[in-house]
Amino acid sequence: METGKFFHNLMERKDFETWLDNISVTFLSLTDLQKNETLDHLISLSGAVQLRHLSNNLETLLKRDFLKLLPLELSFYLLKWLDPQTLLTCCLVSKQWNKVISACTEVWQTACKNLGWQIDDSVQDALHWKKVYLKAILRMKQLEDHEAFETSSLIGHSARVYALYYKDGLLCTGSDDLSAKLWDVSTGQCVYGIQTHTCAAVKFDEQKLVTGSFDNTVACWEWSSGARTQHFRGHTGAVFSVDYNDELDILVSGSADFTVKVWALSAGTCLNTLTGHTEWVTKVVLQKCKVKSLLHSPGDYILLSADKYEIKIWPIGREINCKCLKTLSVSEDRSICLQPRLHFDGKYIVCSSALGLYQWDFASYDILRVIKTPEIANLALLGFGDIFALLFDNRYLYIMDLRTESLISRWPLPEYRKSKRGSSFLAGEASWLNGLDGHNDTGLVFATSMPDHSIHLVLWKEHG
């Protein structure tokens, strides 16, 4: 009996398949309009089970994997509209999606740029930029969570450290203990230690150290022997800032006697005394101009000197007897002081005051912008780049995103030794201020001298 029923059902199945084949042939021969009418009629005869079945299958049939079907160029164009976080989620959809998304160089380069990352457009490896982006979001999260840095100390001086200068992984410290020391920041080891006068300012290179002193003189020392090779006498007040250029064979010094002196570096003779300041000259900067204006051309050497209220611009070059090109100030009101830090890169001059950060265009001397930080009074400038600025106050070190003018990170500072003149603290590596690149977020960020004569260092934490 059961066997007969089975064959009966099998026959029914065969009959059904024959009927289905016949109706399929007929259906395919119809016009589109007739096909639509046939479907409408069948739908009208269907019950709830059939309609649910139809709904579920239609959804699947209508889905199209556009990334798989579209030409690669069109896929890349569409992907550019998605944010990176969505793209990372899309990478999980399938191997094909991951392959296409990971191959879109422009998407990942743009994502990196939006984070403030420096992009080398010559590198066209999309996977490289995806990895850079993943590394970048980890570093940016560390910054947002105030966990990107670590600290250490340099111990070795026996009296107040007043002068600091940093270059290429080496930090020079000048102290009231009549010594200057050169430190390897990565190891914390003292490379050189030489006997000097009291140091109010220091600058060095591989061979020599130049010091400005509270004894009103400037001196040049040889690292290897500790010998003083030159002594520059002529100021009648403490020398608070020095800069020099071997190509020009010129040294410049700013003093508490309100003057700037220009010296022959190798001969030690005073070539000129620049007057016009009415306060201590706390900063001198010798730098090549990078922009053209009515007053200077790219490649010209420019001297900037700053006091409590004004920044003066001098065309130093080969012409020693120069006249002041321009005097910059933020206010006629003498109650508004400039911070003793000054940024000049040949294109822009930046200085901070109680009114905010001022940026001047060096081609026109116009104020490009004033960045106000009302939530935190009197932020002092440490470093200024294309993307980020490094600032600080009595309690914290801050990183500002200059595109939004918002503070994106901070780091607590100990009770460091305060200095109105401003040389007892400095920024370390500066290239990351123009955009991080996954390699330049290493080494020294900030250094300051402490009341116990040690040097407090803030360093980039290594990538996890």
Side-chain angles (χ1 to χ4, degrees):
M1 188 70 182
E2 286 296 320
T3 308
K5 187 179 179 183
F6 171 76
F7 279 115
H8 179 69
N9 286 340
L10 193 62
M11 289 297 290
E12 279 186 354
R13 180 70 193 168
K14 280 184 177 178
D15 288 344
F16 172 71
E17 284 175 358
T18 305
W19 174 81
L20 199 58
D21 285 341
N22 291 334
I23 204 167
S24 298
V25 171
T26 309
F27 185 78
L28 288 171
S29 68
L30 300 176
T31 65
D32 281 341
L33 193 61
Q34 289 170 332
K35 284 177 183 175
N36 290 348
E37 281 186 40
T38 304
L39 289 173
D40 287 342
H41 182 65
L42 288 171
I43 289 168
S44 69
L45 297 173
S46 300
V49 175
Q50 285 75 46
L51 291 173
R52 196 177 299 112
H53 175 77
L54 186 64
S55 174
N56 291 339
N57 280 282
L58 274 175
E59 190 181 348
T60 307
L61 287 167
L62 289 171
K63 279 182 180 174
R64 288 289 182 272
D65 188 341
F66 64 90
L67 275 188
K68 204 171 180 179
L69 297 170
L70 284 175
L72 209 53
E73 293 78 12
L74 273 178
S75 294
F76 287 168
Y77 178 77
L78 288 172
L79 292 171
K80 281 192 285 185
W81 297 94
L82 298 178
D83 65 274
Q85 221 42 54
T86 304
L87 286 170
L88 288 174
T89 306
C90 289
C91 285
L92 303 174
V93 171
S94 68
K95 284 183 180 179
Q96 178 66 22
W97 278 44
N98 185 39
K99 188 179 175 183
V100 172
I101 293 165
S102 297
C104 189
T105 304
E106 192 180 344
V107 161
W108 299 110
Q109 282 186 336
T110 303
C112 292
K113 281 178 184 172
N114 291 341
L115 284 176
W117 237 246
Q118 242 177 359
I119 296 303
D120 179 359
D121 289 319
S122 66
V123 180
Q124 285 298 306
D125 178 7
L127 204 56
H128 164 80
W129 290 116
K130 186 183 174 187
K131 285 176 182 173
V132 170
Y133 173 75
L134 291 170
K135 193 175 183 181
I137 54 174
L138 287 175
R139 183 56 102 191
M140 296 309 287
K141 187 173 189 316
Q142 280 187 336
L143 285 169
E144 286 165 17
D145 296 342
H146 318 306
E147 294 174 352
F149 306 132
E150 57 190 11
T151 60
S152 69
S153 295
L154 302 175
I155 299 166
H157 284 291
S158 58
R160 176 180 70 165
V161 176
Y162 214 88
L164 299 170
Y165 185 82
Y166 176 81
K167 181 186 176 186
D168 299 334
L170 298 171
L171 179 69
C172 182
T173 56
S175 168
D176 282 354
D177 64 11
L178 306 182
S179 80
K181 295 182 186 295
L182 191 66
W183 309 81
D184 183 330
V185 170
S186 63
T187 64
Q189 297 299 307
C190 181
V191 182
Y192 285 116
I194 60 174
Q195 293 299 301
T196 59
H197 46 187
T198 57
C199 296
V202 290
K203 185 177 179 180
F204 70 90
D205 56 43
E206 291 79 2
Q207 282 77 43
K208 65 182 175 294
L209 165 71
V210 173
T211 57
S213 176
F214 293 104
D215 68 10
N216 307 348
T217 71
V218 179
C220 187
W221 315 80
E222 192 176 68
W223 280 121
S224 56
S225 65
R228 186 176 68 194
T229 57
Q230 208 58 262
H231 208 188
F232 306 83
R233 300 170 183 272
H235 280 297
T236 57
V239 179
F240 287 138
S241 184
V242 292
D243 203 353
Y244 64 86
N245 183 279
D246 287 311
E247 183 189 344
L248 293 177
D249 191 34
I250 278 177
L251 181 145
V252 291
S253 54
S255 168
D257 65 11
F258 304 174
T259 71
V260 176
K261 286 189 181 289
V262 182
W263 313 80
L265 181 56
S266 55
T269 52
C270 184
L271 302 171
N272 199 7
T273 300
L274 308 178
T275 60
H277 283 285
T278 56
E279 296 284 340
W280 292 0
V281 181
T282 54
K283 192 69 178 171
V284 288
V285 178
L286 195 55
Q287 169 75 21
K288 259 186 186 177
C289 173
K290 293 178 183 173
V291 289
K292 184 170 179 56
S293 78
L294 291 171
L295 302 175
H296 37 67
S297 302
D300 290 352
Y301 278 95
I302 301 293
L303 169 64
L304 260 61
S305 57
D307 64 28
K308 198 175 178 181
Y309 302 110
E310 295 176 334
I311 301 165
K312 290 187 177 290
I313 300 165
W314 315 82
I316 202 77
R318 302 284 175 186
E319 180 195 341
I320 302 304
N321 297 310
C322 58
K323 292 195 169 81
C324 180
L325 292 175
K326 186 77 175 174
T327 300
L328 307 176
S329 62
V330 300
S331 171
E332 296 298 316
D333 181 0
R334 286 258 158 169
S335 67
I336 306 296
C337 299
L338 294 174
Q339 296 280 358
R341 309 294 301 177
L342 186 64
H343 168 86
F344 177 50
D345 60 5
K347 294 185 291 184
Y348 306 110
I349 300 170
V350 186
C351 196
S352 60
S353 74
L355 298 175
L357 275 181
Y358 278 72
Q359 182 183 19
W360 288 270
D361 176 28
F362 194 59
S364 64
Y365 300 141
D366 292 337
I367 293 173
L368 281 182
R369 62 173 169 174
V370 182
I371 302 172
K372 295 185 182 297
T373 51
E375 69 273 23
I376 298 160
N378 224 14
L379 278 184
L381 175 73
L382 283 163
F384 193 92
D386 296 333
I387 305 290
F388 302 111
L390 188 65
L391 312 163
F392 79 125
D393 61 14
N394 289 339
R395 296 174 58 219
Y396 292 101
L397 192 63
Y398 299 93
I399 294 177
M400 175 183 280
D401 187 327
L402 290 169
R403 298 166 302 174
T404 59
E405 298 182 4
S406 59
L407 300 173
I408 61 168
S409 188
R410 72 179 189 191
W411 184 259
L413 294 176
E415 286 288 324
Y416 58 85
R417 201 183 63 72
K418 308 297 186 291
S419 161
K420 288 182 181 177
R421 194 189 43 79
S423 72
S424 56
F425 39 78
L426 52 68
E429 301 290 348
S431 67
W432 66 271
L433 296 168
N434 293 323
L436 291 156
D437 64 8
H439 302 290
N440 58 11
D441 50 346
T442 57
L444 186 67
V445 179
F446 172 78
T448 186
S449 56
M450 300 294 289
D452 65 359
H453 320 317
S454 68
I455 314 300
H456 179 78
L457 306 179
V458 177
L459 306 144
W460 283 100
K461 194 182 285 181
E462 283 189 28
H463 284 277

